[in-house]
Amino acid sequence: MAAASPSSTHLVLIPSFNSGALLAETVRSARAEWNPVWVVVDGSTDGSDCPVQAMAESDPGLRLLRLTRNGGKGAALLHGMEAALAAGFTHALAMDADGQHPAEEIGRMMAASRTKPDAMVLGVPVFGPEAPAIRVKGRRVSNFWTDLETLWSGVGDSLFGFRVYPAAPVVALMHRTRWMRRYDFDAEAAVRLCWLGLKPVNIPVPVRYLSREEGGISHFRYGRDNLLLTGMHTRLMLGFLPRLPLLVWRRLRQRAASRH
């Protein structure tokens, strides 16, 4: 049963590239929890958008946006957030199309965002036993560099994509750089929003890795995407160093304020 009352400020944004049958399942789950839900079809060629298009024709709370060429997760989210801002929305919950993110947690994430609209609400993954060890352990490297680049500002997990973003600062950031368009989006967005002074709010949520038999599809490529992350953190460190005095001053001011 789809969530009935539409929000005028917060929407769910699902980027999708060749997600198979899981896309329609993910969309149904999201619509049961939230209204509206938008899907950005990022140059898909597998026909996975066809059932969702049919759903949208009879569901005013569901909308499809299309990109003719695959530009990457960050590019799809940028397109969706630009359209959301133009329609008067202020916040977007980014959710993967592959069934890993729990739709039943959408309401809790949105409630946290409404309580603190100037913050970014970050899901922190609670992994099940089926999670690949190399993925669980490998993200610790990115988390270390993210902590350093933000002076331990409290980003619980740098790579987990189940998040609520204030859309305007994200779009403004992306208009100033040609990066953040692919797998580098999640970590770089968290770091750069911290640099702007947005505080992270962390919420633990379960994550599920689906097997191939369950329809699980992953576009993650260990060599390519780890190389992308390495370049990203190198770039962020170069941006971090000139910002270091400001970040230190900000942290000292926060600590002084917390004592009063």
Side-chain angles (χ1 to χ4, degrees), residues 3 12 14 25-35 37 95 103 106:
V12 173
I14 304 175
E25 188 176 324
T26 299
V27 170
R28 288 190 193 97
S29 298
R31 276 294 289 120
E33 303 292 337
W34 199 258
N35 184 1
V37 172
M95 180 178 183
I106 291 174

Side-chain angles (χ1 to χ4, degrees), residues 120-125 127 139-140 142-144 146-147 150 152-160 163 190 194 200-204:
M120 50 179 161
V121 179
L122 309 180
V124 179
F127 294 104
R139 68 198 309 117
R140 296 173 186 170
S142 182
N143 288 341
F144 167 78
T146 297
D147 284 338
T150 62
W152 287 266
S153 293
V155 175
D157 188 276
S158 62
L159 298 177
F160 196 48
R163 299 173 170 179
C194 280
V201 174
N202 296 298
I203 297 182

Side-chain angles (χ1 to χ4, degrees), residues 12-121:
V12 173
L13 201 55
I14 304 175
S16 176
F17 171 66
N18 289 352
S19 302
L22 285 173
L23 175 59
E25 188 176 324
T26 299
V27 170
R28 288 190 193 97
S29 298
R31 276 294 289 120
E33 303 292 337
W34 199 258
N35 184 1
V37 172
W38 290 8
V39 178
V40 182
V41 181
D42 185 22
S44 292
T45 57
D46 67 345
S48 57
D49 55 308
C50 294
V52 181
Q53 179 65 58
M55 293 163 56
E57 290 172 1
S58 60
D59 181 0
L62 177 61
R63 178 182 176 187
L64 262 70
L65 305 174
R66 296 182 183 276
L67 295 171
T68 57
R69 297 178 60 182
N70 175 245
K73 177 180 181 179
L77 287 174
L78 172 60
H79 183 73
M81 288 190 198
E82 288 174 332
L85 288 172
F89 293 94
T90 57
H91 292 73
L93 182 147
M95 180 178 183
D96 287 355
D98 58 6
Q100 288 190 11
H101 297 160
E104 59 271 19
E105 297 290 340
I106 291 174
R108 189 159 66 110
M109 298 282 286
M110 295 298 205
S113 175
R114 283 172 160 171
T115 300
K116 296 184 177 180
D118 293 331
M120 50 179 161
V121 179

